[in-house]
Amino acid sequence: MAGTFLVAGCTAHPATGPVGATALPPDVDTMLFPDAGWVADSVRIRVAEEVLVGDCLADRGHDYPAPPYSLLRPGAAATTPTVLADDDSYGLLADAKAQREVPPPSPRRADAWQRDLYGPAGRQGSLTLPTGIEAQFPTRGCLAAAKRELYGSSLRAARVDTEIGAFRSDVAEEAGAQAPVRQALGAWVDCMRERGVAASSPHHAIDTLRTEYAEHGPTPEMADREAVVAQADADCDRASGYRDTYRTHAAALVAALTGGIGEHLVELAAARRGAERRAAAVLARG
């Protein structure tokens, strides 16, 4: 895994034997192992961002329809186990209402709309991840202004947007190589197959549903299908112990990191928490 967050953080690998409970700072724990509350806050942040972008574009004479305010996924918390990544959760039908497509502007207004939303061409900032991948982010325009209001700076917003997901991916790859995690995942896969769901992981099951939504739309049949898969996942997770096993080994892996990466994770979690508070204030303004 050369060049990844874990290598950059000087990882000390946990032993392959039994791993005990490992305490992480609460905000870091929630960031790496999101629960239903984290997912709901993610939707709030996205909607607050759209509110700010819409107000900014309206001030510049552009149409930008107001986002919906039905943010929470009905019943998701009751049936969804702890998710492994920010978007690895069910309730996709409700979430789709918040992540709507914005109608494009007229051709005559397209250039001005693009410039006011993203800023002048060639004026983006850049962030190089430990993987070597360079991510660009807006520093001007309405989108950048919205992110600054939520996160305090464009760079901080870009770090939260890119580095949390990249770090989770590294942790998932490393923890997934541990024998107990592989064994528990195999039991989960077998259980899901017995329920009529072919999936190699919870992420695969949810991503397949997301693809089906894109192809067929949020129909009642798709909502029923999602409910069936979500319930099968919850039952199979309890039977296999997969997520608990994964979390135990992943937490031990993160706790063993040295080289300042732990402090960096605390900073990312704090930036995200600040965005949650500011998003709530934006939505409270009505």
Side-chain angles (χ1 to χ4, degrees):
M1 299 179 64
T4 65
F5 276 92
L6 299 187
V7 171
C10 303
T11 305
H13 297 281
T16 56
V19 178
T22 303
L24 297 174
D27 281 353
V28 172
D29 185 84
T30 303
M31 182 176 70
L32 296 179
F33 310 105
D35 56 16
W38 171 281
V39 175
D41 285 335
S42 294
V43 178
R44 288 190 183 93
I45 290 172
R46 286 196 292 268
V47 173
E49 184 178 292
E50 284 206 347
V51 169
L52 294 170
V53 168
D55 290 346
C56 177
L57 287 176
D59 290 343
R60 289 159 175 73
H62 300 293
D63 293 327
Y64 194 87
Y69 286 88
S70 177
L71 306 180
L72 299 180
R73 302 166 175 181
T79 59
T80 306
T82 301
V83 292
L84 302 184
D86 204 359
D87 292 325
D88 280 2
S89 55
Y90 296 96
L92 300 175
L93 180 60
D95 192 39
K97 297 174 183 177
Q99 298 188 51
R100 71 220 156 79
E101 292 187 7
V102 177
S106 66
R108 185 176 63 85
R109 298 280 293 167
D111 288 344
W113 189 89
Q114 185 89 357
R115 183 180 61 252
D116 288 340
L117 178 59
Y118 296 111
R123 302 300 296 269
Q124 291 81 15
S126 64
L127 169 66
T128 302
L129 302 176
T131 56
I133 297 174
E134 184 173 302
Q136 292 190 329
F137 58 91
T139 58
R140 302 194 178 190
C142 289
L143 180 58
K147 288 184 177 295
R148 280 195 300 273
E149 180 160 345
L150 292 173
Y151 290 94
S153 77
S154 298
L155 178 59
R156 187 177 296 119
R159 288 193 180 281
V160 171
D161 287 344
T162 58
E163 291 184 0
I164 292 176
F167 190 84
R168 284 203 200 112
S169 295
D170 278 1
V171 171
E173 181 179 344
E174 194 77 13
Q178 301 292 318
V181 179
R182 293 199 310 270
Q183 182 178 359
L185 177 59
W188 181 91
V189 170
D190 291 343
C191 177
M192 291 291 282
R193 185 182 300 114
E194 293 174 359
R195 298 294 191 93
V197 180
S200 59
S201 68
H203 175 79
H204 183 210
I206 295 165
D207 200 47
T208 298
L209 286 171
R210 189 174 289 115
T211 300
E212 292 174 356
Y213 270 128
E215 293 176 354
H216 305 295
T219 64
E221 291 77 17
M222 279 303 307
D224 291 342
R225 168 66 175 163
E226 180 182 338
V228 169
V229 175
Q231 189 60 59
D233 186 354
D235 293 343
C236 291
D237 186 62
R238 283 192 295 270
S240 66
Y242 168 62
R243 284 178 173 84
D244 283 345
T245 304
Y246 167 84
R247 179 170 182 155
T248 297
H249 283 76
L253 177 68
V254 174
L257 292 173
T258 60
I261 195 69
E263 290 81 358
H264 185 59
L265 290 174
V266 171
E267 292 173 0
L268 288 177
R272 159 64 191 240
R273 184 67 67 188
E276 292 171 10
R277 291 194 299 268
R278 296 183 189 104
V282 168
L283 296 178
R285 296 201 300 252

